[in-house]
Amino acid sequence: MAQSRIAELDVNNIPFAKIYSDHMFVADYYDGEWQEQRIMPYQALPLSPANTAIHYGISIFEGMKAYKNEEGEVLLFRPERNAERLNISAERMCIPEIPVEMFMNALTELIRLDSQWVPGKGGTSLYIRPIVFATDEYIGIKPPENFRFMIITCPVGAYYSAPVKVKIETNFVRAIEGGVGYAKTAGNYAASLYPAKLAQKEGFDQLVWTDGKTHEYIEESGTMNVMFIIGDKLITAPTSGTILNGITRDSVLTLARDWGVTVEERPIRVDEIVEAARQNKVQEAFGVGTAATIAQISKIGFEEELFELSEVSERKFSNRVLATLNEIKTGKREDKFGWTYKV
Ligand SMILES: *Cc1c(COP(=O)(O)O)cnc(C)c1O
């Protein structure tokens, strides 16, 4: 690129998801295969008004982060997991598979080229957004034949996540068995905005979704999986057709087991959480996902009740997990599970 825009970036004050790195990766699928892989300057796309992704939401994505270690090398966290999950989403949405090797090569080349966009300051990272969508110019409904796979990146600032006040949602539905809840697909997020907006009017930050059939079981938070510590046990819902299989979730459970913490992956009844909260027995509650790693839950609303949970500073497990994951991701701690990937 003739002129890098890196000078526009103030690493002490990075606006969230507003400034994109110099380059983007693009590959097109037609005639039954992926062709023409290229890296080009970040730019707007020409778009047919008959594009099937905008009409019908035939679009999937991933979210991951790159970090710098103390030597200035760039590390990714479990990127093969994102490649695998992208293909799980792809199958459900009639999108062709992206070979894992193609995904990893694209990612590596792009991040190497734009490595100066990975901010080195503590807490900052480069957010990476792979996306695959249909490019058929056809307003009929059928599985599309043309697709585009892209990767764009943007630096993100130190993510300070203030503890969140969540509402257990028992009216609207995010996902149902047989649907697309397990896929990272565009429409899941579109459908979640209106219920979230209503909850925000009531003073909540986020929703905790319950199962679509009975609303008796806790599912997840829509961009994060949700975990509780009750009676010194770490409890989280099992992944299923309605819950996204988070990579942070898996990493937290792996660390917990390694530390000898009892882990229960099982359906969690809403009344179990409500009862424990009434009796002040919820020791910790938090969301887990790439954006915040750990988002502490300070208050839980359920119907007319609002439960105030323990002080965040007293939460031993989630604070330890947050610190440990941050140290692994930035190469400050031994990576005994082989999670980091040097670009
Ligand atoms: C991305 C996402 C998560 C978190 O997954 P990570 O791999 O940990 O970032 C959880 N729930 C939903 C619905 C998501 O889209």
Side-chain angles (χ1 to χ4, degrees):
M1 185 165 192
Q3 187 70 57
S4 171
R5 289 178 285 100
I6 189 81
E8 292 170 23
L9 182 71
D10 171 5
V11 291
N12 294 311
N13 190 12
I14 306 178
F16 185 75
K18 285 252 168 74
I19 299 183
Y20 292 86
S21 313
D22 286 330
H23 296 93
M24 61 189 197
F25 173 89
V26 184
D28 287 313
Y29 183 99
Y30 55 89
D31 295 340
E33 54 189 314
W34 287 108
Q35 3 217 356
E36 293 176 37
Q37 300 180 33
R38 59 217 183 263
I39 288 176
M40 54 202 281
Y42 178 86
Q43 60 193 272
L45 306 173
L47 179 70
S48 159
N51 169 284
T52 48
I54 55 172
H55 287 259
Y56 306 125
I58 307 161
S59 180
I60 59 174
F61 66 95
E62 270 302 323
M64 56 209 292
K65 282 178 171 175
Y67 305 83
K68 265 192 182 144
N69 66 14
E70 268 159 8
E71 289 75 49
E73 296 166 315
V74 177
L75 303 177
L76 299 173
F77 186 71
R78 310 185 77 182
E80 305 86 353
R81 285 294 200 112
N82 296 92
E84 289 161 14
R85 191 170 64 191
L86 185 67
N87 284 326
I88 290 170
S89 304
E91 183 184 31
R92 182 65 177 82
M93 303 307 290
C94 293
I95 289 174
E97 182 182 347
I98 312 278
V100 172
E101 201 189 330
M102 173 179 157
F103 180 94
M104 292 303 297
N105 286 342
L107 193 60
T108 312
E109 293 284 313
L110 181 68
I111 306 298
R112 275 193 194 140
L113 183 64
D114 280 343
S115 61
Q116 58 177 343
W117 285 87
V118 186
K121 219 177 149 239
T124 64
S125 59
L126 185 73
Y127 186 76
I128 304 167
R129 171 53 62 88
I131 171 171
V132 197
F133 56 96
T135 53
D136 282 25
E137 189 170 11
Y138 178 71
I139 56 170
I141 306 265
K142 69 169 168 87
E145 287 162 10
N146 301 283
F147 301 88
R148 177 164 276 200
F149 166 39
M150 303 188 63
I151 307 176
I152 59 173
T153 72
C154 64
V156 289
Y159 198 110
Y160 168 70
S161 55
V164 291
K165 179 175 167 186
V166 300
K167 175 187 170 181
I168 298 179
E169 175 64 59
T170 51
N171 181 25
F172 293 100
V173 170
R174 188 192 90 91
I176 53 163
E177 216 49 69
V180 297
Y182 68 94
K184 242 177 148 70
T185 185
N188 281 338
Y189 307 86
S192 72
L193 295 178
Y194 178 66
K197 196 167 112 178
L198 294 183
Q200 273 153 18
K201 275 197 195 139
E202 295 174 61
F204 292 99
D205 301 303
Q206 286 185 41
L207 294 176
V208 169
W209 297 99
T210 52
D211 73 283
K213 241 186 197 157
T214 65
H215 297 294
E216 285 174 8
Y217 293 91
I218 301 274
E219 297 227 305
E220 61 156 307
S221 188
T223 57
M224 302 185 296
N225 297 107
V226 175
M227 298 188 175
F228 301 91
I229 297 212
I230 298 172
D232 291 324
K233 288 184 203 142
L234 177 61
I235 306 169
T236 194
T239 57
S240 67
T242 57
I243 297 180
L244 193 110
N245 190 352
I247 297 163
T248 316
R249 175 186 182 281
D250 181 77
S251 307
V252 171
L253 297 183
T254 302
L255 286 176
R257 291 187 171 111
D258 188 53
W259 296 340
V261 173
T262 304
V263 173
E264 291 185 357
E265 285 182 81
R266 59 163 173 85
I268 306 172
R269 292 188 58 87
V270 172
D271 54 18
E272 174 185 354
I273 297 303
V274 168
E275 206 40 53
R278 278 192 194 124
Q279 298 174 19
N280 248 323
K281 285 185 176 159
V282 178
Q283 292 155 283
E284 305 189 27
F286 49 96
V288 303
T290 295
T293 306
I294 302 290
Q296 296 289 356
I297 296 173
S298 56
K299 295 187 181 108
I300 301 181
F302 174 67
E303 294 174 346
E304 300 310 311
E305 288 175 278
L306 183 67
F307 303 105
E308 187 130 6
L309 305 184
S310 61
E311 277 297 323
V312 166
S313 59
E314 287 165 13
R315 301 182 181 187
K316 286 209 186 78
F317 176 80
S318 45
N319 285 320
R320 181 180 177 198
V321 156
L322 176 62
T324 305
L325 282 175
N326 284 343
E327 285 167 12
I328 294 173
K329 289 171 175 181
T330 52
K332 293 197 187 87
R333 175 185 283 263
E334 187 207 344
D335 175 18
K336 77 181 218 189
F337 300 104
W339 283 341
T340 57
Y341 176 94
K342 212 173 274 178
V343 168

